Amino acid sequence: MVSAKKHIPIVKKRTKRFNRHQSDRFMCVDPAWRKPKGIDNRVRRRFKGQAAMPSIGYGSNRKTRHLTPSGHKAFLVHNTRDVDLLLMHNKTFAAEIGHAVSSRKRIEIIAKAKDLGVKVTNPKARVTTEA
């Protein structure tokens, strides 16, 4: 397995999720973010002490966007031919096996990736057996 290219440190401006206004008070209000639209809404009006709204300023550095902590970008793989695509890009991309891939194919994909020196982000998923 090849280590990733050198990159600047990954800095996240915000790691907490943006929760929808009043989702903590009512079970029927899902925490998934929705922009408040009310005329008197204090979150929309950005009052002090209220929940922050997502904005473009929270975006990540373009050089480190979509990087995993190892420094690779995830590339979704469903068969061994997809792993072949990563042969020349194994410093930039890491293979991520799709969730619908069977355990038999997963074993083949992991073996192929090991031969080519490609990192697999989820190698233990649905491969280990009960002992």
Side-chain angles (χ1 to χ4, degrees):
M1 182 177 56
V2 179
S3 59
K5 282 192 290 194
K6 294 279 282 180
H7 60 86
I8 59 176
I10 300 170
V11 177
K12 305 282 188 195
K13 292 181 189 166
R14 182 186 169 102
T15 53
K16 281 170 47 178
R17 288 178 56 90
F18 289 99
N19 285 333
R20 187 176 177 180
H21 181 51
Q22 292 194 332
S23 65
D24 55 333
R25 294 187 62 199
F26 303 105
M27 292 298 292
C28 61
V29 179
D30 192 55
W33 175 254
R34 295 288 187 276
K35 185 170 170 54
K37 300 286 195 339
I39 56 171
D40 293 330
N41 190 286
R42 47 196 194 175
V43 173
R44 182 190 60 78
R45 291 160 69 187
R46 297 199 175 102
F47 282 10
K48 188 164 48 172
Q50 303 306 312
M53 287 200 295
S55 64
I56 199 67
Y58 287 108
S60 300
N61 185 338
R62 183 174 286 174
K63 290 177 183 166
T64 60
R65 196 175 298 159
H66 307 301
L67 287 186
T68 59
S70 67
H72 292 94
K73 293 183 179 181
F75 181 81
L76 201 58
V77 164
H78 292 97
N79 54 49
T80 52
R81 286 173 307 174
D82 292 346
V83 180
D84 292 334
L85 298 172
L86 299 177
L87 176 61
M88 300 301 291
H89 306 285
N90 56 3
K91 282 184 172 286
T92 309
F93 292 96
E96 185 163 304
I97 303 172
H99 81 101
V101 179
S102 68
S103 56
R104 184 169 58 94
K105 288 284 187 194
R106 280 172 194 268
I107 294 166
E108 293 172 17
I109 289 170
I110 292 166
K112 182 78 168 181
K114 193 170 187 177
D115 289 345
L116 300 177
V118 174
K119 179 180 170 66
V120 179
T121 58
N122 54 350
K124 292 193 172 90
R126 219 190 299 175
V127 175
T128 53
T129 57
E130 293 180 32

